[in-house]
Amino acid sequence: MALTAEDVASLARLARIELTDAELEILAPQLDVILESVARVSEVAAQDIPPTSHALPLTNVFREDELRPSLPREQLLAAAPAAEQMRFRVPRILGEEA
Amino acid sequence: MTLRQPEASEIIRQTAVDLAVKIKSRELSAVEVTRAHLDRIDEIDGEIHAFLYVDQERALASASRVDAKITAGEAVGPLAGVPLALKDILTYAGAPTTCGSKILEGWLPPYDATVTRRLLDHDMVILGKTNLDEFAMGSSTENSAFGPTRNPWDTSRIPGGSGGGSSAAVAAYEAPLAIGTDTGGSIRQPAAVTGTVGVKPTYGGSSRYGLVALASSLDQPGPCARTVLDAALLHQIIAGHDPCDSTSIDQPVPDVVRAARSADVSGMKIGVVRELGGEGYAPGVEQRFGEAVELLASLGAEIIEVSCPHFVYALPAYYLILPAECSSNLAKFDAMRYGLRVGDDGVASAEQVMAMTREAGFGAEVKRRIIIGTYALSSGYYEAYYGQAQKVRTLISRDFDNAFSQADVLISPSTPITAFKIGEKVNDPLAMYMNDLCTIPSNLAGNASGSFPVGLAAEDGLPVGLQVMAPPLADDRVYRVGAALEAALESAWGGPLLDRLPELGSVR
Amino acid sequence: MTVLPYEEALAAYDPVLGLEVHVELNTVSKMFCGCSTAFGAEPNTQVCAVCLGLPGSLPVLNAKAVESAIRIGLALNCTIAEWCRFARKNYFYPDMPKNYQISQYDEPIAYDGWTEVVLDEQVYRIGIERAHMEEDTGKSLHVGGLTGRIHGADYSLLDYNRSGVPLIEIVTKPIEGTGAKAPQVARAYVTMLRDLLQALGVSDVRMEQGSLRCDANVSLRPVGTSPFGTRTETKNVNSLRSVERAVRYEITRQAAVLTGSGRVIQETRHWHEDSGITTPGRSKETAEDYRYFPEPDLVPIAPSREWVEELRATLPEPPAAKLNRVSAEWGFTDLEMRDVISAGAVNAIEATVAAGASPQSARKWWLTEIARRANEAGVDLENVGVTPQQVAEIQALVENGTINDKLARQVFEGVIAGEGSPAEVVAARGLAIVSDEGALAAAVDEAINANPDVVDKIKSGKVQAAGALIGSVMKQMRGQADAARVREMILEKIG
């Protein structure tokens, strides 16, 4: 299994968390131990078993195509770290829109 | 300072049922009752730290409105005027919702959770928000970014988690009722280690709208109380279909109140789960559990043993499914629209600010689970980890189905050990996870379960809980068994277990 | 950027296309909440806890969106899933409030269909891989850079009104065998899809407003080989014209790369309408891992077969059948029909005919006057600024003698400039043909008197010479006269 600090660092990048080197040193072995333990699930022969995605077999839950009140803009922007021109202001975005 | 045990005659010592009756009959005013609890919070919460936020002004205003309604002869809810505490992971507009995390410190949600709304619509008084493990991840409340909560039985010990604040508040008489949330045992395990009652409804039984999501397929809001009937009344109020939650059950709430009042287990088949006991379980826990089983037998229940062989895989499956779902659920905390923002100096990019903020805003356990979850979902690993865990989940559900074909309910200890010392397991994640051994299977299968106090462990005098599990939509059976135990045990004890709550400062 | 001349490119390489079209549905409310989907509102006024992804919020599926998705799938001859789910597509981007998009991954609601596109009398059968439901993102404004584009911006401003609007993504199977016609086939496909969606009534399908978006995938393989080449995906293709131009450009660019012994890089590219080229997006070291898993906050959708059949009964006529029908009804020649189809004018003509004009007159206006203006302005026909109803009105004004063809052009100009309805423009600009015989007679007399030699010619039998007099009168009348009547009067007067 051996999850290295490098593995953890690249997972952290994917998850947008900038871990410090000190954290990486501590986390990697901890995560490795946890992963080894959870990997026990592979001991179970489950090829023909369907996965659960919902505990209850509900289907077809819909709502009517009707308008409901939106939230007041002032209240939303008041909670924003930064706002300008009635919009949420964010730092410059490097990546392209997907 | 000592944790003063309230006198039997004091307001804060009353059950929710009794308070409701007295408020309705105007023997007590809702304002008096609220004030008494606010005073208690003032008195002891400096030590217990169950509350992250006390909503004093609004609570008193709420109480005052209830009194006015009652005076005017208007109809009010069954627990009108009774105060309660809300786990700080449910939104309540106008009060901060932190989820025990720095990343949401000071966030004021612009909307109420459905559960919150129902409490308010039923004329209850919300005292404030209680402490929890950060984003409900933990079994001890030590992962809160705002300091741990202490177990009223022994303040050097944990009150359980993630909902330690809610159960400690109830155990210490700061509130007669509280709302918790349970994803892997976060209502039941704290109930067990604090000698209180905590129930997890059938998945979909109460609305998750406004419950900040940890693991969407596992989370459930539920009642915390000192008595079974109190919990049942609260359960009745918060549960029921919600069109804002697609996973909520569109059927009547099982008659939990009637079941709690009946407390009759004669003729019930009760299955003891073989796999939930033995090695790793404290002797005192097993002893009290064993006695409770005998007691149930003496009350007319038929006790059988059932085997759920896949339960040994419940913990590993859970610690794959939960991190996977939470890694996605917590992605929204990115400093762009609300919450903490770190490092925005006009030069750093959005991506950098996101990463710096999440680094600063999330604690260690949250980071661990996000990373495991990201790994479990990543391409090449999905099938072996998340995919496989969801299959194991099906097998666990089938074990339950099989067991429920033999018994009406299943029982086990709620947690293998009693309350451990603060700091003891905080650096050993796996050891911490083991606290959820008994509670996790019920979350995976989505059925109903609850924890009820069955005594104190001989070796340390700390509370032990017994867990009752029932099939989905049979929540009432949980209350029936819990109430039977409560009646019989309190009769044997000469009063509730909490009467033995020791003075603060006793070190064990 | 090096490109190979088109003919040279097509001589050596065989293009394979893949078209992904995103359609914004015209439901009243959003996919998972009750906020309005109306276009053009003030920023962040159509936002709630759900579409802003606030902590604790949960999605609830819009029934109408499901209905539209199924109808689209049926119209594209797809199989409708008996059971399917939503999935989370996980990635971080500020326009996506939850940092995951609720979409469908390996269980789309519709799949394995086909459709036909007619171009230059040839029918191309295009396979439809899937049509699935997903939610739209918010919109970002990039501030501080040169072009308003993301590169070089200092910061960005986010408007989440569009976040959560229902989208249907329609993906074709690889489109092969189009050869040199690839760009036109691509355009014809998107045009046909647009017309189909319009007939279904499920979307406004306005590319310029973003309710219909196309991403074009292009790859080349050496002529006569079968394995697919490396493909690029081109975005920002905002009109039917752009579809054709972008595909054509990519073919020439990739051909140049391959001919120069280079390798085509698999990447996302951005189309620039003004310069007519594509440029690479930011390159990524590795392909993004979206970590798809079934959406736990939503339950599966299992459309009953009864419901599907009910919806099937609401479908409009399939495109090919429609073309046959209108072609027969309108009485156009094959060549005329072909031009109409190439111009993407079928729906426009149909609507104009429905508004009262004759098919031939409708065809005339759309394919001459309006098409010319579309080319000049670099926009699609429907964005020139005149509606089918207005075209019919203009034609009616010509037929009832109020104006003539030449004056009609000025009326078009006025309508497009926003001066009002055709009748209002005629009145405001004073374009009506003068029917006052007195005024006409005066002008005719003047012309006769001013041109005695022409009059002599006419008297001597050269009736054609009247043309010069007619011209003179028309000029005098500023075109506002019925030329035929003028001729009549002239000949009467001369005798």
Side-chain angles (χ1 to χ4, degrees):
Chain A
M1 184 88 31
L3 209 62
T4 64
E6 186 45 57
D7 294 329
V8 177
S10 82
L11 286 167
R13 265 194 298 278
L14 207 49
R16 296 291 188 278
I17 304 177
E18 192 178 279
L19 294 175
T20 65
D21 289 338
E23 277 176 306
L24 286 171
E25 288 303 311
I26 299 177
L27 276 177
Q30 276 180 343
L31 292 172
D32 206 26
V33 166
I34 295 171
L35 278 172
E36 251 187 67
S37 147
V38 299
R40 286 198 68 195
V41 293
S42 63
E43 288 169 21
V44 181
Q47 293 91 323
D48 301 322
I49 310 294
T52 304
S53 63
H54 292 94
L56 291 173
L58 296 175
T59 57
N60 293 337
V61 174
F62 303 134
R63 43 168 265 278
E64 288 305 307
D65 184 26
E66 283 163 359
L67 288 179
R68 298 239 90 111
S70 296
L71 282 174
R73 173 167 67 185
E74 308 70 47
Q75 202 177 11
L76 296 174
L77 291 177
E84 198 180 285
Q85 289 182 50
M86 297 296 138
R87 294 169 171 82
F88 293 84
R89 177 179 159 150
V90 306
R92 63 195 182 92
I93 305 167
L94 288 183
E96 286 291 340
E97 289 145 73
Chain B
M1 185 191 150
T2 51
L3 178 65
R4 188 184 60 80
Q5 264 285 57
E7 300 295 314
S9 59
E10 282 186 61
I11 287 175
I12 59 175
R13 193 70 181 273
Q14 316 292 309
T15 64
V17 169
D18 287 346
L19 287 172
V21 165
K22 289 174 183 172
I23 290 170
K24 189 89 193 296
S25 71
R26 296 163 69 187
E27 182 184 328
L28 286 175
S29 72
V31 170
E32 267 181 276
V33 172
T34 295
R35 205 175 279 290
H37 287 92
L38 289 171
D39 287 345
R40 176 63 168 180
I41 293 169
D42 269 341
E43 186 191 347
I44 65 160
D45 208 54
E47 184 67 33
I48 297 293
H49 191 47
F51 282 85
L52 290 177
Y53 181 75
V54 179
D55 202 15
Q56 177 143 319
E57 309 260 313
R58 267 205 300 186
L60 288 168
S62 263
S64 175
R65 270 198 303 280
V66 175
D67 284 332
K69 274 174 94 166
I70 291 174
T71 308
E74 287 173 42
V76 290
L79 290 177
V82 176
L84 62 71
L86 207 53
K87 184 176 182 181
D88 200 19
I89 198 166
L90 286 148
T91 63
Y92 177 27
T97 297
T98 67
C99 302
S101 178
K102 286 251 178 278
I103 216 168
L104 272 184
E105 192 172 8
W107 180 57
L108 292 172
Y111 76 104
D112 290 325
T114 296
V115 164
T116 307
R117 191 88 311 276
R118 287 183 183 178
L119 294 167
L120 294 170
D121 288 347
H122 282 80
D123 305 300
M124 299 191 72
V125 174
I126 299 179
L127 291 170
K129 312 299 286 298
T130 55
N131 200 11
L132 65 158
D133 281 301
E134 189 179 0
F135 286 109
M137 297 188 219
S139 310
S140 66
T141 311
E142 293 174 283
N143 292 328
S144 167
F146 307 109
T149 297
R150 294 168 181 283
N151 193 323
W153 287 82
D154 176 342
T155 57
S156 70
R157 293 177 183 268
I158 55 98
S162 60
S166 281
S167 11
V170 164
Y173 301 94
E174 293 175 287
L177 298 169
I179 297 291
T181 67
D182 193 309
T183 304
S186 295
I187 289 177
R188 292 163 286 154
Q189 182 255 9
V193 304
T194 57
T196 56
V197 174
V199 176
K200 183 198 82 67
T202 299
Y203 179 82
S206 2
S207 169
R208 291 185 300 113
Y209 185 75
L211 164 53
V212 179
L214 164 57
S216 315
S217 73
L218 301 167
D219 296 343
Q220 261 298 278
C224 310
R226 293 190 290 268
T227 71
V228 179
L229 182 57
D230 279 2
L233 285 161
L234 187 53
H235 184 135
Q236 184 76 251
I237 287 173
I238 61 170
H241 182 243
D242 181 14
C244 292
D245 176 354
S246 300
T247 60
S248 93
I249 300 173
D250 194 359
Q251 289 199 42
V253 180
D255 201 342
V256 295
V257 174
R258 191 157 73 92
R261 288 197 207 272
S262 107
D264 179 14
V265 296
S266 55
M268 271 187 106
K269 274 186 139 155
I270 299 185
V272 176
V273 180
R274 184 193 310 158
E275 286 77 9
L276 296 179
E279 197 193 312
Y281 287 69
V285 168
E286 299 229 278
Q287 185 180 24
R288 293 285 97 91
F289 176 73
E291 288 163 7
V293 173
E294 280 169 25
L295 180 58
L296 286 169
S298 76
L299 293 171
E302 185 191 332
I303 311 292
I304 62 173
E305 190 188 66
V306 297
S307 172
C308 297
H310 295 95
F311 276 21
V312 312
Y313 297 106
L315 201 76
Y318 175 84
Y319 279 104
L320 276 171
I321 293 170
L322 181 148
E325 291 183 12
C326 93
S327 70
S328 178
N329 284 328
L330 266 60
K332 59 174 59 72
F333 301 104
D334 65 358
M336 299 293 111
R337 290 161 293 284
Y338 45 82
L340 187 69
R341 181 182 282 190
V342 162
D344 185 11
D345 57 1
V347 175
S349 69
E351 291 83 352
Q352 286 167 322
V353 167
M354 282 185 197
M356 286 189 277
T357 301
R358 291 158 66 80
E359 157 65 15
F362 286 146
E365 184 60 32
V366 170
K367 285 173 181 164
R368 272 192 285 270
R369 296 198 197 187
I370 289 177
I371 304 238
I372 290 180
T374 305
Y375 186 65
L377 289 175
S378 52
S379 96
Y381 296 100
Y382 178 96
E383 272 317 313
Y385 289 117
Y386 185 75
Q388 182 74 356
Q390 291 286 34
K391 291 182 177 185
V392 169
R393 189 174 179 173
T394 303
L395 291 171
I396 289 170
S397 291
R398 290 184 186 178
D399 277 3
F400 267 116
D401 289 343
N402 180 46
F404 285 130
S405 72
Q406 302 164 57
D408 300 311
V409 296
L410 305 179
I411 58 174
S412 74
S414 302
T415 184
I417 57 176
T418 56
F420 46 92
K421 293 271 192 196
I422 289 175
E424 190 181 315
K425 295 180 196 273
V426 112
N427 292 317
D428 189 348
L430 268 185
M432 188 66 84
Y433 296 166
M434 298 298 267
N435 287 291
D436 300 331
L437 217 50
C438 311
T439 45
I440 278 174
S442 174
N443 298 89
L444 288 173
N447 56 39
S449 51
S451 175
F452 304 95
V454 288
L456 304 179
E459 62 265 22
D460 53 24
L462 292 166
V464 174
L466 178 147
Q467 175 181 233
V468 182
M469 297 177 274
L473 291 177
D475 307 41
D476 54 303
R477 295 184 205 174
V478 173
Y479 285 94
R480 179 178 295 271
V481 176
L485 274 173
E486 179 185 73
L489 285 170
E490 291 191 354
S491 166
W493 294 333
L497 185 67
L498 276 168
D499 282 356
R500 294 182 252 168
L501 192 69
E503 306 255 315
L504 190 87
S506 345
V507 174
R508 290 184 195 272
Chain C
M1 194 93 40
T2 330
V3 298
L4 219 55
Y6 191 70
E7 297 67 32
E8 234 181 278
L10 263 299
Y13 301 104
D14 176 29
V16 175
L17 304 175
L19 296 164
E20 286 164 27
V21 172
H22 285 85
V23 184
E24 264 183 21
L25 295 179
N26 62 1
T27 52
V28 164
S29 63
K30 292 186 180 182
M31 191 65 144
F32 299 116
C33 67
C35 289
S36 169
T37 56
F39 184 81
E42 283 294 302
N44 292 306
T45 53
Q46 291 173 184
V47 170
C48 72
V50 177
C51 54
L52 195 60
L54 291 185
S57 62
L58 292 173
V60 185
L61 183 55
N62 184 330
K64 190 80 199 241
V66 180
E67 184 188 286
S68 296
I70 293 174
R71 293 178 71 231
I72 290 172
L74 289 172
L76 293 171
N77 302 291
C78 292
T79 303
I80 304 299
E82 294 195 12
W83 186 94
C84 68
R85 290 178 292 190
F86 282 93
R88 291 192 187 176
K89 181 179 183 182
N90 296 283
Y91 64 99
F92 287 80
Y93 203 81
D95 71 0
M96 225 178 35
K98 301 184 290 293
N99 286 317
Y100 60 84
Q101 181 194 35
I102 301 179
S103 176
Q104 294 190 292
Y105 177 50
D106 51 357
E107 297 165 344
I109 189 157
Y111 55 91
D112 204 26
W114 55 270
T115 189
E116 281 174 347
V117 164
V118 177
L119 183 72
D120 299 344
E121 292 155 61
Q122 192 165 349
V123 176
Y124 295 86
R125 185 162 162 128
I126 294 179
I128 302 294
E129 181 70 44
R130 52 190 279 149
H132 72 253
M133 297 179 280
E134 58 185 35
E135 53 176 347
D136 211 345
T137 63
K139 272 203 203 143
S140 26
L141 251 188
H142 306 298
V143 178
L146 281 177
T147 59
R149 280 208 61 219
I150 205 173
H151 300 297
D154 291 331
Y155 59 93
S156 298
L157 299 174
L158 269 303
D159 170 17
Y160 293 102
N161 281 353
R162 197 182 66 178
S163 165
V165 167
L167 286 181
I168 305 295
E169 180 175 339
I170 303 168
V171 181
T172 66
K173 297 187 182 176
I175 304 172
E176 306 176 68
T178 56
K181 296 256 174 96
Q184 297 99 299
V185 172
R187 177 183 181 153
Y189 167 76
V190 181
T191 307
M192 182 281 308
L193 201 57
R194 181 203 62 182
D195 291 350
L196 181 64
L197 294 164
Q198 205 160 42
L200 281 167
V202 295
S203 170
D204 297 335
V205 285
R206 301 186 57 171
M207 285 184 87
E208 77 285 2
Q209 276 186 1
S211 48
L212 184 72
R213 297 171 221 158
C214 178
D215 296 336
N217 292 279
V218 179
S219 69
L220 296 181
R221 61 188 172 192
V223 167
T225 63
S226 33
F228 291 152
T230 305
R231 64 176 173 84
T232 61
E233 181 184 29
T234 299
K235 293 181 172 286
N236 197 44
V237 178
N238 294 334
S239 69
L240 297 171
R241 275 172 56 93
S242 306
V243 173
E244 185 174 338
R245 296 180 69 210
V247 168
R248 189 183 166 101
Y249 176 79
E250 260 308 282
I251 290 173
T252 59
R253 185 192 71 82
Q254 290 189 19
V257 168
L258 294 172
T259 307
S261 308
R263 290 195 307 129
V264 172
I265 302 168
Q266 181 172 341
E267 61 187 351
T268 300
R269 297 180 71 89
H270 187 95
W271 168 251
H272 300 265
E273 183 64 33
D274 42 359
S275 50
I277 63 167
T278 62
T279 54
R282 227 152 260 276
S283 69
K284 302 166 187 174
E285 304 97 50
T286 49
E288 185 83 52
D289 180 0
Y290 295 119
R291 288 159 279 133
Y292 288 98
F293 67 101
E295 171 59 78
D297 289 332
L298 292 169
V299 299
I301 308 155
S304 71
R305 298 300 92 180
E306 292 75 43
W307 188 32
V308 171
E309 289 318 302
E310 268 172 47
L311 292 176
R312 196 191 297 278
T314 70
L315 295 183
E317 178 178 37
K322 172 168 167 166
L323 287 178
N324 285 337
R325 176 178 60 81
V326 299
S327 184
E329 277 174 19
W330 296 343
F332 291 171
T333 66
D334 287 345
L335 196 60
E336 286 171 338
M337 199 60 209
R338 184 177 127 163
D339 289 343
V340 163
I341 293 169
S342 299
V346 175
N347 276 12
I349 291 174
E350 193 183 21
T352 308
V353 168
S358 70
Q360 279 296 352
S361 66
R363 186 185 67 81
K364 178 186 77 181
W365 291 121
W366 282 101
L367 262 55
T368 57
E369 189 61 28
I370 301 172
R372 177 176 63 78
R373 290 174 187 277
N375 280 329
E376 276 165 14
V379 300
D380 292 336
L381 282 183
E382 43 292 314
N383 293 332
V384 169
V386 59
T387 68
Q389 287 67 31
Q390 287 164 336
V391 173
E393 276 174 48
I394 293 173
Q395 177 59 22
L397 289 171
V398 170
E399 278 172 22
N400 71 19
T402 307
I403 53 174
N404 54 33
D405 274 5
K406 208 160 169 195
L407 290 166
R409 290 205 195 111
Q410 291 183 59
V411 179
F412 272 109
E413 191 183 273
V415 167
I416 289 164
E419 291 166 23
S421 72
E424 285 165 358
V425 170
V426 167
R429 288 192 181 199
L431 295 174
I433 285 177
V434 173
S435 49
D436 172 7
E437 296 270 304
L440 262 185
V444 166
D445 286 339
E446 210 181 303
I448 287 174
N449 294 336
N451 298 284
D453 40 325
V454 177
V455 173
D456 289 337
K457 278 192 191 157
I458 296 171
K459 280 185 174 164
S460 72
K462 282 203 179 150
V463 185
Q464 309 91 287
L469 292 179
I470 297 169
S472 178
V473 171
M474 292 301 280
K475 201 161 161 196
Q476 173 94 343
M477 302 299 298
R478 289 179 334 186
Q480 289 169 242
D482 179 7
R485 180 78 193 108
V486 167
R487 187 177 185 278
E488 232 172 49
M489 290 181 83
I490 290 171
L491 295 177
E492 272 171 25
K493 296 237 168 185
I494 294 176

